[in-house]
Tab-separated table of all heavy atoms in Angstrom:
chain	number	residue	atom	x	y	z
A	1092	MET	N	114.128	-50.385	-31.420
A	1092	MET	CA	115.082	-49.386	-31.826
A	1092	MET	C	114.807	-49.053	-33.287
A	1092	MET	O	114.739	-49.943	-34.124
A	1092	MET	CB	116.492	-49.935	-31.646
A	1092	MET	CG	117.568	-48.987	-32.107
A	1092	MET	SD	119.248	-49.628	-31.899
A	1092	MET	CE	119.315	-49.879	-30.164
A	1093	PRO	N	114.638	-47.792	-33.600
A	1093	PRO	CA	114.365	-47.420	-34.982
A	1093	PRO	C	115.538	-47.729	-35.904
A	1093	PRO	O	116.701	-47.576	-35.528
A	1093	PRO	CB	114.108	-45.923	-34.911
A	1093	PRO	CG	114.236	-45.513	-33.501
A	1093	PRO	CD	114.669	-46.675	-32.701
A	1094	LEU	N	115.222	-48.153	-37.112
A	1094	LEU	CA	116.253	-48.465	-38.098
A	1094	LEU	C	117.133	-47.244	-38.371
A	1094	LEU	O	118.336	-47.374	-38.592
A	1094	LEU	CB	115.608	-48.971	-39.386
A	1094	LEU	CG	116.515	-49.602	-40.422
A	1094	LEU	CD1	117.388	-50.698	-39.823
A	1094	LEU	CD2	115.695	-50.153	-41.564
A	1095	SER	N	116.564	-46.050	-38.293
A	1095	SER	CA	117.348	-44.828	-38.525
A	1095	SER	C	118.472	-44.699	-37.495
A	1095	SER	O	119.584	-44.293	-37.833
A	1095	SER	CB	116.453	-43.592	-38.492
A	1095	SER	OG	115.799	-43.485	-37.236
A	1096	LEU	N	118.215	-45.057	-36.258
A	1096	LEU	CA	119.243	-44.994	-35.212
A	1096	LEU	C	120.329	-46.036	-35.448
A	1096	LEU	O	121.515	-45.757	-35.281
A	1096	LEU	CB	118.613	-45.191	-33.833
A	1096	LEU	CG	119.556	-45.124	-32.644
A	1096	LEU	CD1	120.280	-43.784	-32.588
A	1096	LEU	CD2	118.791	-45.355	-31.359
A	1097	ILE	N	119.930	-47.218	-35.892
A	1097	ILE	CA	120.903	-48.275	-36.198
A	1097	ILE	C	121.801	-47.822	-37.354
A	1097	ILE	O	123.015	-47.992	-37.306
A	1097	ILE	CB	120.179	-49.595	-36.526
A	1097	ILE	CG1	119.454	-50.100	-35.281
A	1097	ILE	CG2	121.139	-50.641	-37.063
A	1097	ILE	CD1	118.516	-51.246	-35.520
A	1098	ARG	N	121.211	-47.217	-38.367
A	1098	ARG	CA	121.997	-46.694	-39.503
A	1098	ARG	C	122.977	-45.619	-39.033
A	1098	ARG	O	124.132	-45.590	-39.432
A	1098	ARG	CB	121.074	-46.089	-40.556
A	1098	ARG	CG	120.411	-47.078	-41.433
A	1098	ARG	CD	119.697	-46.358	-42.586
A	1098	ARG	NE	118.874	-47.286	-43.297
A	1098	ARG	CZ	117.540	-47.254	-43.319
A	1098	ARG	NH1	116.879	-46.313	-42.688
A	1098	ARG	NH2	116.860	-48.163	-43.984
A	1099	GLU	N	122.474	-44.727	-38.197
A	1099	GLU	CA	123.272	-43.619	-37.685
A	1099	GLU	C	124.521	-44.120	-36.945
A	1099	GLU	O	125.562	-43.482	-36.979
A	1099	GLU	CB	122.390	-42.812	-36.725
A	1099	GLU	CG	122.839	-41.432	-36.416
A	1099	GLU	CD	121.795	-40.740	-35.554
A	1099	GLU	OE1	120.753	-40.311	-36.104
A	1099	GLU	OE2	122.017	-40.643	-34.332
A	1100	GLN	N	124.412	-45.267	-36.303
A	1100	GLN	CA	125.529	-45.833	-35.542
A	1100	GLN	C	126.459	-46.684	-36.404
A	1100	GLN	O	127.411	-47.258	-35.904
A	1100	GLN	CB	124.990	-46.666	-34.374
A	1100	GLN	CG	124.200	-45.870	-33.359
A	1100	GLN	CD	125.012	-44.750	-32.742
A	1100	GLN	OE1	126.149	-44.947	-32.326
A	1100	GLN	NE2	124.436	-43.561	-32.697
A	1101	GLY	N	126.150	-46.796	-37.707
A	1101	GLY	CA	127.026	-47.513	-38.624
A	1101	GLY	C	126.703	-48.985	-38.819
A	1101	GLY	O	127.522	-49.749	-39.307
A	1102	PHE	N	125.488	-49.407	-38.443
A	1102	PHE	CA	125.103	-50.817	-38.543
A	1102	PHE	C	123.860	-51.008	-39.404
A	1102	PHE	O	122.989	-51.819	-39.099
A	1102	PHE	CB	124.867	-51.396	-37.146
A	1102	PHE	CG	126.055	-51.295	-36.246
A	1102	PHE	CD1	126.094	-50.362	-35.225
A	1102	PHE	CD2	127.146	-52.126	-36.426
A	1102	PHE	CE1	127.201	-50.271	-34.392
A	1102	PHE	CE2	128.252	-52.044	-35.596
A	1102	PHE	CZ	128.286	-51.103	-34.583
A	1103	ALA	N	123.787	-50.289	-40.505
A	1103	ALA	CA	122.583	-50.244	-41.338
A	1103	ALA	C	122.052	-51.602	-41.786
A	1103	ALA	O	120.849	-51.818	-41.833
A	1103	ALA	CB	122.836	-49.369	-42.560
A	1104	ASP	N	122.925	-52.539	-42.121
A	1104	ASP	CA	122.467	-53.815	-42.675
A	1104	ASP	C	122.516	-54.986	-41.697
A	1104	ASP	O	122.240	-56.124	-42.078
A	1104	ASP	CB	123.290	-54.163	-43.919
A	1104	ASP	CG	123.013	-53.196	-45.061
A	1104	ASP	OD1	121.870	-52.718	-45.159
A	1104	ASP	OD2	123.936	-52.919	-45.836
A	1105	GLU	N	122.834	-54.746	-40.449
A	1105	GLU	CA	122.940	-55.825	-39.465
A	1105	GLU	C	121.625	-56.596	-39.303
A	1105	GLU	O	121.629	-57.791	-39.083
A	1105	GLU	CB	123.393	-55.292	-38.108
A	1105	GLU	CG	124.846	-54.917	-38.061
A	1105	GLU	CD	125.784	-56.112	-38.154
A	1105	GLU	OE1	125.530	-57.148	-37.504
A	1105	GLU	OE2	126.792	-56.002	-38.861
A	1106	TRP	N	120.497	-55.911	-39.423
A	1106	TRP	CA	119.209	-56.581	-39.247
A	1106	TRP	C	118.993	-57.672	-40.293
A	1106	TRP	O	118.208	-58.591	-40.094
A	1106	TRP	CB	118.053	-55.573	-39.284
A	1106	TRP	CG	117.840	-54.922	-40.611
A	1106	TRP	CD1	118.434	-53.780	-41.060
A	1106	TRP	CD2	117.009	-55.388	-41.665
A	1106	TRP	NE1	118.017	-53.499	-42.337
A	1106	TRP	CE2	117.132	-54.480	-42.741
A	1106	TRP	CE3	116.164	-56.486	-41.812
A	1106	TRP	CZ2	116.446	-54.634	-43.931
A	1106	TRP	CZ3	115.479	-56.628	-43.009
A	1106	TRP	CH2	115.626	-55.717	-44.037
A	1107	LYS	N	119.717	-57.610	-41.401
A	1107	LYS	CA	119.577	-58.610	-42.459
A	1107	LYS	C	120.336	-59.900	-42.156
A	1107	LYS	O	120.088	-60.927	-42.778
A	1107	LYS	CB	120.089	-58.043	-43.787
A	1107	LYS	CG	119.315	-56.844	-44.282
A	1107	LYS	CD	119.942	-56.285	-45.537
A	1107	LYS	CE	119.220	-55.040	-46.009
A	1107	LYS	NZ	119.859	-54.456	-47.186
A	1108	LEU	N	121.258	-59.861	-41.194
A	1108	LEU	CA	122.117	-61.006	-40.912
A	1108	LEU	C	121.518	-61.980	-39.895
A	1108	LEU	O	121.944	-63.122	-39.808
A	1108	LEU	CB	123.485	-60.513	-40.404
A	1108	LEU	CG	124.224	-59.563	-41.359
A	1108	LEU	CD1	125.501	-59.064	-40.707
A	1108	LEU	CD2	124.505	-60.245	-42.684
A	1109	HIS	N	120.581	-61.538	-39.110
A	1109	HIS	CA	119.961	-62.395	-38.084
A	1109	HIS	C	118.557	-61.866	-37.840
A	1109	HIS	O	118.346	-60.653	-37.822
A	1109	HIS	CB	120.782	-62.321	-36.786
A	1109	HIS	CG	120.254	-63.217	-35.713
A	1109	HIS	ND1	119.375	-62.766	-34.764
A	1109	HIS	CD2	120.496	-64.518	-35.443
A	1109	HIS	CE1	119.083	-63.768	-33.939
A	1109	HIS	NE2	119.752	-64.840	-34.335
A	1110	HIS	N	117.601	-62.777	-37.651
A	1110	HIS	CA	116.233	-62.292	-37.433
A	1110	HIS	C	116.206	-61.431	-36.168
A	1110	HIS	O	116.910	-61.694	-35.201
A	1110	HIS	CB	115.236	-63.451	-37.351
A	1110	HIS	CG	115.429	-64.346	-36.173
A	1110	HIS	ND1	114.902	-64.063	-34.936
A	1110	HIS	CD2	116.118	-65.496	-36.037
A	1110	HIS	CE1	115.238	-65.014	-34.090
A	1110	HIS	NE2	115.979	-65.898	-34.724
A	1111	GLN	N	115.401	-60.408	-36.196
A	1111	GLN	CA	115.348	-59.445	-35.098
A	1111	GLN	C	114.179	-59.694	-34.146
A	1111	GLN	O	114.019	-58.989	-33.175
A	1111	GLN	CB	115.262	-58.029	-35.658
A	1111	GLN	CG	116.403	-57.675	-36.582
A	1111	GLN	CD	117.754	-57.694	-35.905
A	1111	GLN	OE1	118.030	-56.880	-35.046
A	1111	GLN	NE2	118.596	-58.636	-36.281
A	1112	GLY	N	113.399	-60.701	-34.446
A	1112	GLY	CA	112.280	-61.026	-33.569
A	1112	GLY	C	111.000	-61.242	-34.346
A	1112	GLY	O	110.979	-61.247	-35.568
A	1113	GLY	N	109.933	-61.423	-33.608
A	1113	GLY	CA	108.627	-61.657	-34.192
A	1113	GLY	C	107.725	-62.290	-33.150
A	1113	GLY	O	108.130	-62.490	-32.004
A	1114	PRO	N	106.494	-62.602	-33.503
A	1114	PRO	CA	105.569	-63.206	-32.553
A	1114	PRO	C	106.107	-64.533	-32.014
A	1114	PRO	O	106.696	-65.316	-32.750
A	1114	PRO	CB	104.299	-63.440	-33.375
A	1114	PRO	CG	104.400	-62.466	-34.486
A	1114	PRO	CD	105.858	-62.362	-34.789
A	1115	ALA	N	105.905	-64.760	-30.741
A	1115	ALA	CA	106.351	-65.994	-30.097
A	1115	ALA	C	105.115	-66.832	-29.756
A	1115	ALA	O	104.094	-66.301	-29.350
A	1115	ALA	CB	107.142	-65.674	-28.839
A	1116	GLY	N	105.245	-68.118	-29.928
A	1116	GLY	CA	104.150	-69.027	-29.636
A	1116	GLY	C	104.683	-70.438	-29.571
A	1116	GLY	O	105.673	-70.695	-28.887
A	1117	TYR	N	104.080	-71.337	-30.309
A	1117	TYR	CA	104.553	-72.720	-30.335
A	1117	TYR	C	105.838	-72.858	-31.139
A	1117	TYR	O	106.660	-73.701	-30.870
A	1117	TYR	CB	103.475	-73.645	-30.901
A	1117	TYR	CG	102.286	-73.754	-29.986
A	1117	TYR	CD1	101.091	-73.122	-30.292
A	1117	TYR	CD2	102.373	-74.464	-28.790
A	1117	TYR	CE1	100.000	-73.209	-29.443
A	1117	TYR	CE2	101.297	-74.545	-27.930
A	1117	TYR	CZ	100.112	-73.919	-28.262
A	1117	TYR	OH	99.050	-73.997	-27.424
A	1118	GLU	N	105.988	-72.015	-32.146
A	1118	GLU	CA	107.208	-71.996	-32.951
A	1118	GLU	C	108.154	-70.966	-32.330
A	1118	GLU	O	107.706	-70.043	-31.657
A	1118	GLU	CB	106.893	-71.597	-34.396
A	1118	GLU	CG	105.995	-72.560	-35.131
A	1118	GLU	CD	106.674	-73.890	-35.407
A	1118	GLU	OE1	107.885	-73.910	-35.657
A	1118	GLU	OE2	105.973	-74.912	-35.360
A	1119	PRO	N	109.464	-71.074	-32.573
A	1119	PRO	CA	110.376	-70.052	-32.042
A	1119	PRO	C	109.946	-68.644	-32.446
A	1119	PRO	O	109.970	-67.732	-31.658
A	1119	PRO	CB	111.724	-70.425	-32.646
A	1119	PRO	CG	111.637	-71.893	-32.895
A	1119	PRO	CD	110.195	-72.143	-33.264
A	1120	ARG	N	109.538	-68.467	-33.693
A	1120	ARG	CA	108.947	-67.216	-34.168
A	1120	ARG	C	107.839	-67.616	-35.131
A	1120	ARG	O	108.075	-68.351	-36.073
A	1120	ARG	CB	109.957	-66.330	-34.908
A	1120	ARG	CG	111.123	-65.860	-34.076
A	1120	ARG	CD	110.714	-64.883	-32.980
A	1120	ARG	NE	111.849	-64.592	-32.143
A	1120	ARG	CZ	112.150	-65.268	-31.030
A	1120	ARG	NH1	111.406	-66.279	-30.640
A	1120	ARG	NH2	113.186	-64.925	-30.314
A	1121	GLU	N	106.646	-67.140	-34.883
A	1121	GLU	CA	105.522	-67.447	-35.766
A	1121	GLU	C	105.785	-66.884	-37.170
A	1121	GLU	O	105.396	-67.464	-38.156
A	1121	GLU	CB	104.224	-66.890	-35.199
A	1121	GLU	CG	103.872	-67.442	-33.822
A	1121	GLU	CD	103.583	-68.933	-33.829
A	1121	GLU	OE1	102.880	-69.407	-34.734
A	1121	GLU	OE2	104.075	-69.622	-32.932
A	1122	PHE	N	106.411	-65.728	-37.226
A	1122	PHE	CA	106.948	-65.169	-38.457
A	1122	PHE	C	108.079	-64.240	-38.035
A	1122	PHE	O	108.149	-63.810	-36.898
A	1122	PHE	CB	105.901	-64.444	-39.316
A	1122	PHE	CG	105.247	-63.256	-38.660
A	1122	PHE	CD1	105.842	-62.004	-38.660
A	1122	PHE	CD2	104.009	-63.394	-38.055
A	1122	PHE	CE1	105.227	-60.918	-38.067
A	1122	PHE	CE2	103.379	-62.312	-37.456
A	1122	PHE	CZ	103.991	-61.077	-37.459
A	1123	VAL	N	108.985	-63.971	-38.943
A	1123	VAL	CA	110.112	-63.104	-38.640
A	1123	VAL	C	109.748	-61.664	-38.990
A	1123	VAL	O	109.311	-61.386	-40.107
A	1123	VAL	CB	111.375	-63.552	-39.412
A	1123	VAL	CG1	112.529	-62.592	-39.164
A	1123	VAL	CG2	111.775	-64.964	-38.984
A	1124	ALA	N	109.898	-60.764	-38.042
A	1124	ALA	CA	109.589	-59.357	-38.264
A	1124	ALA	C	110.708	-58.683	-39.048
A	1124	ALA	O	111.885	-58.852	-38.731
A	1124	ALA	CB	109.407	-58.649	-36.934
A	1125	THR	N	110.334	-57.971	-40.088
A	1125	THR	CA	111.279	-57.193	-40.894
A	1125	THR	C	110.610	-55.865	-41.239
A	1125	THR	O	109.397	-55.719	-41.029
A	1125	THR	CB	111.651	-57.921	-42.208
A	1125	THR	OG1	110.515	-57.924	-43.076
A	1125	THR	CG2	112.132	-59.338	-41.965
A	1126	PRO	N	111.361	-54.925	-41.781
A	1126	PRO	CA	110.735	-53.651	-42.171
A	1126	PRO	C	109.626	-53.812	-43.208
A	1126	PRO	O	108.788	-52.938	-43.362
A	1126	PRO	CB	111.897	-52.840	-42.742
A	1126	PRO	CG	113.092	-53.378	-42.045
A	1126	PRO	CD	112.816	-54.864	-41.902
A	1127	ILE	N	109.600	-54.932	-43.934
A	1127	ILE	CA	108.564	-55.116	-44.953
A	1127	ILE	C	107.543	-56.197	-44.585
A	1127	ILE	O	106.718	-56.566	-45.406
A	1127	ILE	CB	109.195	-55.432	-46.325
A	1127	ILE	CG1	110.045	-56.696	-46.270
A	1127	ILE	CG2	110.012	-54.254	-46.829
A	1127	ILE	CD1	110.497	-57.200	-47.636
A	1128	THR	N	107.579	-56.684	-43.350
A	1128	THR	CA	106.612	-57.687	-42.904
A	1128	THR	C	105.210	-57.093	-42.951
A	1128	THR	O	104.981	-56.001	-42.464
A	1128	THR	CB	106.926	-58.140	-41.462
A	1128	THR	OG1	108.220	-58.714	-41.450
A	1128	THR	CG2	105.924	-59.151	-40.956
A	1129	ASP	N	104.275	-57.841	-43.527
A	1129	ASP	CA	102.902	-57.343	-43.571
A	1129	ASP	C	101.967	-58.150	-42.663
A	1129	ASP	O	100.761	-57.970	-42.710
A	1129	ASP	CB	102.379	-57.295	-45.005
A	1129	ASP	CG	102.345	-58.662	-45.679
A	1129	ASP	OD1	102.724	-59.658	-45.036
A	1129	ASP	OD2	101.933	-58.720	-46.839
A	1130	ASN	N	102.546	-59.018	-41.833
A	1130	ASN	CA	101.739	-59.761	-40.873
A	1130	ASN	C	101.195	-58.810	-39.806
A	1130	ASN	O	101.818	-57.803	-39.496
A	1130	ASN	CB	102.578	-60.845	-40.194
A	1130	ASN	CG	103.106	-61.850	-41.187
A	1130	ASN	OD1	104.052	-61.558	-41.902
A	1130	ASN	ND2	102.502	-63.005	-41.249
A	1131	VAL	N	100.049	-59.144	-39.241
A	1131	VAL	CA	99.404	-58.296	-38.253
A	1131	VAL	C	99.748	-58.786	-36.851
A	1131	VAL	O	99.692	-59.983	-36.571
A	1131	VAL	CB	97.870	-58.314	-38.452
A	1131	VAL	CG1	97.174	-57.518	-37.374
A	1131	VAL	CG2	97.517	-57.783	-39.837
A	1132	ILE	N	100.110	-57.848	-35.983
A	1132	ILE	CA	100.311	-58.161	-34.569
A	1132	ILE	C	99.026	-57.783	-33.863
A	1132	ILE	O	98.559	-56.646	-33.960
A	1132	ILE	CB	101.507	-57.384	-33.989
A	1132	ILE	CG1	102.787	-57.851	-34.671
A	1132	ILE	CG2	101.587	-57.560	-32.480
A	1132	ILE	CD1	104.017	-57.080	-34.290
A	1133	SER	N	98.433	-58.738	-33.151
A	1133	SER	CA	97.137	-58.527	-32.507
A	1133	SER	C	97.289	-58.267	-31.014
A	1133	SER	O	98.265	-58.692	-30.393
A	1133	SER	CB	96.266	-59.768	-32.696
A	1133	SER	OG	96.094	-60.046	-34.055
A	1134	ALA	N	96.288	-57.611	-30.447
A	1134	ALA	CA	96.257	-57.407	-29.001
A	1134	ALA	C	96.262	-58.775	-28.321
A	1134	ALA	O	95.671	-59.731	-28.824
A	1134	ALA	CB	95.015	-56.628	-28.619
A	1135	GLY	N	96.976	-58.886	-27.218
A	1135	GLY	CA	97.049	-60.133	-26.483
A	1135	GLY	C	98.132	-61.075	-26.992
A	1135	GLY	O	98.285	-62.172	-26.484
A	1136	GLN	N	98.883	-60.648	-27.967
A	1136	GLN	CA	99.913	-61.490	-28.561
A	1136	GLN	C	101.249	-61.266	-27.846
A	1136	GLN	O	101.543	-60.188	-27.361
A	1136	GLN	CB	100.047	-61.151	-30.039
A	1136	GLN	CG	100.810	-62.145	-30.843
A	1136	GLN	CD	100.615	-61.908	-32.342
A	1136	GLN	OE1	100.092	-60.891	-32.774
A	1136	GLN	NE2	101.054	-62.857	-33.133
A	1137	VAL	N	102.045	-62.325	-27.794
A	1137	VAL	CA	103.392	-62.253	-27.230
A	1137	VAL	C	104.372	-62.215	-28.394
A	1137	VAL	O	104.216	-62.943	-29.366
A	1137	VAL	CB	103.683	-63.490	-26.350
A	1137	VAL	CG1	105.120	-63.487	-25.863
A	1137	VAL	CG2	102.710	-63.549	-25.184
A	1138	PHE	N	105.359	-61.336	-28.310
A	1138	PHE	CA	106.366	-61.333	-29.353
A	1138	PHE	C	107.742	-61.061	-28.764
A	1138	PHE	O	107.875	-60.507	-27.689
A	1138	PHE	CB	106.031	-60.369	-30.497
A	1138	PHE	CG	105.739	-58.954	-30.087
A	1138	PHE	CD1	106.709	-57.988	-30.189
A	1138	PHE	CD2	104.483	-58.591	-29.633
A	1138	PHE	CE1	106.441	-56.682	-29.831
A	1138	PHE	CE2	104.208	-57.291	-29.274
A	1138	PHE	CZ	105.189	-56.323	-29.374
A	1139	ALA	N	108.739	-61.531	-29.486
A	1139	ALA	CA	110.129	-61.396	-29.054
A	1139	ALA	C	110.825	-60.348	-29.901
A	1139	ALA	O	110.541	-60.208	-31.078
A	1139	ALA	CB	110.842	-62.732	-29.196
A	1140	TRP	N	111.720	-59.634	-29.271
A	1140	TRP	CA	112.531	-58.648	-29.964
A	1140	TRP	C	113.966	-58.912	-29.574
A	1140	TRP	O	114.316	-58.841	-28.393
A	1140	TRP	CB	112.097	-57.243	-29.570
A	1140	TRP	CG	112.823	-56.154	-30.286
A	1140	TRP	CD1	113.642	-55.218	-29.737
A	1140	TRP	CD2	112.797	-55.879	-31.688
A	1140	TRP	NE1	114.132	-54.376	-30.708
A	1140	TRP	CE2	113.624	-54.768	-31.925
A	1140	TRP	CE3	112.166	-56.485	-32.783
A	1140	TRP	CZ2	113.837	-54.245	-33.193
A	1140	TRP	CZ3	112.379	-55.960	-34.041
A	1140	TRP	CH2	113.193	-54.847	-34.232
A	1141	ASN	N	114.793	-59.297	-30.524
A	1141	ASN	CA	116.178	-59.637	-30.206
A	1141	ASN	C	117.149	-59.095	-31.247
A	1141	ASN	O	117.742	-59.825	-32.017
A	1141	ASN	CB	116.350	-61.151	-30.027
A	1141	ASN	CG	115.728	-61.951	-31.125
A	1141	ASN	OD1	114.519	-61.982	-31.266
A	1141	ASN	ND2	116.542	-62.616	-31.908
A	1142	PRO	N	117.309	-57.759	-31.258
A	1142	PRO	CA	118.269	-57.176	-32.184
A	1142	PRO	C	119.691	-57.628	-31.861
A	1142	PRO	O	120.030	-57.857	-30.701
A	1142	PRO	CB	118.100	-55.668	-31.974
A	1142	PRO	CG	117.514	-55.530	-30.623
A	1142	PRO	CD	116.696	-56.763	-30.403
A	1143	SER	N	120.498	-57.769	-32.894
A	1143	SER	CA	121.875	-58.206	-32.696
A	1143	SER	C	122.806	-57.481	-33.665
A	1143	SER	O	122.376	-56.984	-34.696
A	1143	SER	CB	121.984	-59.713	-32.913
A	1143	SER	OG	121.577	-60.049	-34.215
A	1144	ILE	N	124.062	-57.432	-33.293
A	1144	ILE	CA	125.112	-56.859	-34.132
A	1144	ILE	C	126.251	-57.870	-34.155
A	1144	ILE	O	126.650	-58.392	-33.109
A	1144	ILE	CB	125.607	-55.507	-33.582
A	1144	ILE	CG1	124.466	-54.486	-33.600
A	1144	ILE	CG2	126.807	-55.000	-34.368
A	1144	ILE	CD1	124.805	-53.177	-32.932
A	1145	THR	N	126.764	-58.163	-35.346
A	1145	THR	CA	127.852	-59.113	-35.501
A	1145	THR	C	129.004	-58.752	-34.567
A	1145	THR	O	129.377	-57.589	-34.459
A	1145	THR	CB	128.355	-59.118	-36.960
A	1145	THR	OG1	127.244	-59.419	-37.800
A	1145	THR	CG2	129.446	-60.144	-37.166
A	1146	GLY	N	129.537	-59.754	-33.896
A	1146	GLY	CA	130.647	-59.526	-32.980
A	1146	GLY	C	130.267	-59.787	-31.538
A	1146	GLY	O	131.052	-59.538	-30.632
A	1147	GLY	N	129.039	-60.261	-31.308
A	1147	GLY	CA	128.662	-60.660	-29.963
A	1147	GLY	C	127.720	-59.739	-29.221
A	1147	GLY	O	127.560	-59.865	-28.013
A	1148	VAL	N	127.075	-58.811	-29.904
A	1148	VAL	CA	126.127	-57.917	-29.245
A	1148	VAL	C	124.716	-58.393	-29.566
A	1148	VAL	O	124.339	-58.504	-30.732
A	1148	VAL	CB	126.308	-56.454	-29.717
A	1148	VAL	CG1	125.270	-55.553	-29.069
A	1148	VAL	CG2	127.713	-55.975	-29.424
A	1149	LYS	N	123.941	-58.712	-28.518
A	1149	LYS	CA	122.573	-59.174	-28.730
A	1149	LYS	C	121.741	-58.830	-27.504
A	1149	LYS	O	122.198	-58.946	-26.378
A	1149	LYS	CB	122.552	-60.676	-28.967
A	1149	LYS	CG	121.178	-61.218	-29.303
A	1149	LYS	CD	121.265	-62.678	-29.665
A	1149	LYS	CE	119.910	-63.204	-30.045
A	1149	LYS	NZ	119.951	-64.596	-30.430
A	1150	SER	N	120.536	-58.406	-27.746
A	1150	SER	CA	119.590	-58.118	-26.680
A	1150	SER	C	118.359	-58.978	-26.944
A	1150	SER	O	117.923	-59.101	-28.086
A	1150	SER	CB	119.220	-56.633	-26.711
A	1150	SER	OG	118.174	-56.374	-25.803
A	1151	GLU	N	117.822	-59.585	-25.905
A	1151	GLU	CA	116.610	-60.396	-26.083
A	1151	GLU	C	115.548	-59.950	-25.094
A	1151	GLU	O	115.788	-59.910	-23.896
A	1151	GLU	CB	116.930	-61.877	-25.870
A	1151	GLU	CG	117.840	-62.436	-26.932
A	1151	GLU	CD	117.885	-63.955	-26.927
A	1151	GLU	OE1	116.940	-64.585	-26.424
A	1151	GLU	OE2	118.875	-64.486	-27.431
A	1152	ASP	N	114.400	-59.603	-25.616
A	1152	ASP	CA	113.260	-59.213	-24.801
A	1152	ASP	C	112.019	-59.913	-25.311
A	1152	ASP	O	111.870	-60.127	-26.514
A	1152	ASP	CB	113.026	-57.696	-24.875
A	1152	ASP	CG	114.118	-56.909	-24.199
A	1152	ASP	OD1	114.346	-57.134	-22.995
A	1152	ASP	OD2	114.748	-56.080	-24.869
A	1153	THR	N	111.124	-60.262	-24.409
A	1153	THR	CA	109.828	-60.818	-24.773
A	1153	THR	C	108.776	-59.865	-24.225
A	1153	THR	O	108.847	-59.440	-23.073
A	1153	THR	CB	109.637	-62.226	-24.192
A	1153	THR	OG1	110.694	-63.057	-24.670
A	1153	THR	CG2	108.305	-62.826	-24.608
A	1154	VAL	N	107.816	-59.520	-25.075
A	1154	VAL	CA	106.822	-58.524	-24.729
A	1154	VAL	C	105.431	-59.127	-24.882
A	1154	VAL	O	105.153	-59.845	-25.854
A	1154	VAL	CB	106.956	-57.298	-25.676
A	1154	VAL	CG1	105.923	-56.249	-25.331
A	1154	VAL	CG2	108.361	-56.725	-25.597
A	1155	PHE	N	104.563	-58.831	-23.928
A	1155	PHE	CA	103.161	-59.260	-23.982
A	1155	PHE	C	102.299	-58.026	-24.154
A	1155	PHE	O	102.352	-57.099	-23.350
A	1155	PHE	CB	102.786	-59.998	-22.700
A	1155	PHE	CG	101.310	-60.293	-22.578
A	1155	PHE	CD1	100.667	-61.070	-23.528
A	1155	PHE	CD2	100.569	-59.806	-21.524
A	1155	PHE	CE1	99.312	-61.352	-23.424
A	1155	PHE	CE2	99.218	-60.077	-21.408
A	1155	PHE	CZ	98.594	-60.854	-22.356
A	1156	ASP	N	101.534	-57.978	-25.222
A	1156	ASP	CA	100.655	-56.848	-25.490
A	1156	ASP	C	99.345	-57.060	-24.730
A	1156	ASP	O	98.520	-57.876	-25.107
A	1156	ASP	CB	100.381	-56.742	-27.001
A	1156	ASP	CG	99.488	-55.566	-27.350
A	1156	ASP	OD1	99.000	-54.880	-26.433
A	1156	ASP	OD2	99.288	-55.337	-28.544
A	1157	ARG	N	99.166	-56.333	-23.641
A	1157	ARG	CA	97.966	-56.487	-22.785
A	1157	ARG	C	96.804	-55.639	-23.253
A	1157	ARG	O	95.717	-55.728	-22.703
A	1157	ARG	CB	98.293	-56.132	-21.342
A	1157	ARG	CG	99.323	-57.031	-20.743
A	1157	ARG	CD	99.527	-56.801	-19.292
A	1157	ARG	NE	99.460	-55.395	-18.920
A	1157	ARG	CZ	99.620	-54.948	-17.691
A	1157	ARG	NH1	99.849	-55.780	-16.717
A	1157	ARG	NH2	99.539	-53.666	-17.426
A	1158	GLN	N	97.023	-54.806	-24.249
A	1158	GLN	CA	95.965	-53.942	-24.737
A	1158	GLN	C	94.812	-54.772	-25.292
A	1158	GLN	O	95.021	-55.769	-25.966
A	1158	GLN	CB	96.510	-53.008	-25.813
A	1158	GLN	CG	95.521	-51.986	-26.282
A	1158	GLN	CD	96.158	-51.042	-27.290
A	1158	GLN	OE1	97.200	-51.323	-27.852
A	1158	GLN	NE2	95.516	-49.923	-27.516
A	1159	LYS	N	93.589	-54.353	-24.999
A	1159	LYS	CA	92.417	-55.068	-25.496
A	1159	LYS	C	92.061	-54.591	-26.887
A	1159	LYS	O	92.197	-53.422	-27.214
A	1159	LYS	CB	91.235	-54.846	-24.563
A	1159	LYS	CG	91.451	-55.452	-23.212
A	1159	LYS	CD	90.245	-55.280	-22.334
A	1159	LYS	CE	90.555	-55.981	-21.028
A	1159	LYS	NZ	89.742	-55.606	-19.952
A	1160	GLU	N	91.609	-55.532	-27.719
A	1160	GLU	CA	91.173	-55.163	-29.074
A	1160	GLU	C	89.916	-54.326	-28.989
A	1160	GLU	O	89.090	-54.505	-28.110
A	1160	GLU	CB	90.934	-56.417	-29.896
A	1160	GLU	CG	92.219	-57.144	-30.183
A	1160	GLU	CD	92.157	-57.971	-31.448
A	1160	GLU	OE1	91.497	-57.523	-32.400
A	1160	GLU	OE2	92.765	-59.021	-31.458
A	1161	LYS	N	89.768	-53.415	-29.928
A	1161	LYS	CA	88.594	-52.543	-29.950
A	1161	LYS	C	87.563	-53.057	-30.910
A	1161	LYS	O	87.819	-53.687	-31.848
A	1161	LYS	CB	89.001	-51.123	-30.322
A	1161	LYS	CG	89.912	-50.527	-29.297
A	1161	LYS	CD	90.344	-49.143	-29.725
A	1161	LYS	CE	91.309	-48.601	-28.681
A	1161	LYS	NZ	91.727	-47.274	-28.936
């Protein structure tokens, strides 16, 4: 979900209160994804996306990037 849409709905800073996801592996998150994260996501990597809003709203998805590196 784009940050602009989250802002538009009145939840601009919610992403700062709880990690929103990142690569999944042996650790719960190999690194935490943020708008300023400079880590590289590679083809074949699994990552989690779990945006949340204070008050009990949370979505959790795990995605596998099947695209082959060029």
Side-chain angles (χ1 to χ4, degrees):
M1092 177 180 300
L1094 192 52
S1095 59
L1096 181 58
I1097 294 170
R1098 281 189 190 113
E1099 198 175 283
Q1100 297 301 313
F1102 302 105
D1104 293 327
E1105 286 291 317
W1106 67 271
K1107 297 176 183 177
L1108 303 176
H1109 183 266
H1110 66 84
Q1111 303 297 293
Y1117 292 106
E1118 297 291 325
R1120 298 292 174 268
E1121 300 295 317
F1122 61 83
V1123 176
T1125 70
I1127 59 170
T1128 299
D1129 61 0
N1130 299 76
V1131 176
I1132 295 174
S1133 302
Q1136 194 166 12
V1137 175
F1138 53 99
W1140 183 244
N1141 48 293
S1143 59
I1144 297 173
T1145 303
V1148 177
K1149 185 174 182 179
S1150 172
E1151 293 194 23
D1152 291 302
T1153 302
V1154 180
F1155 171 60
D1156 181 355
R1157 298 187 322 181
Q1158 186 177 17
K1159 294 183 178 162
E1160 292 206 36
K1161 296 178 182 183

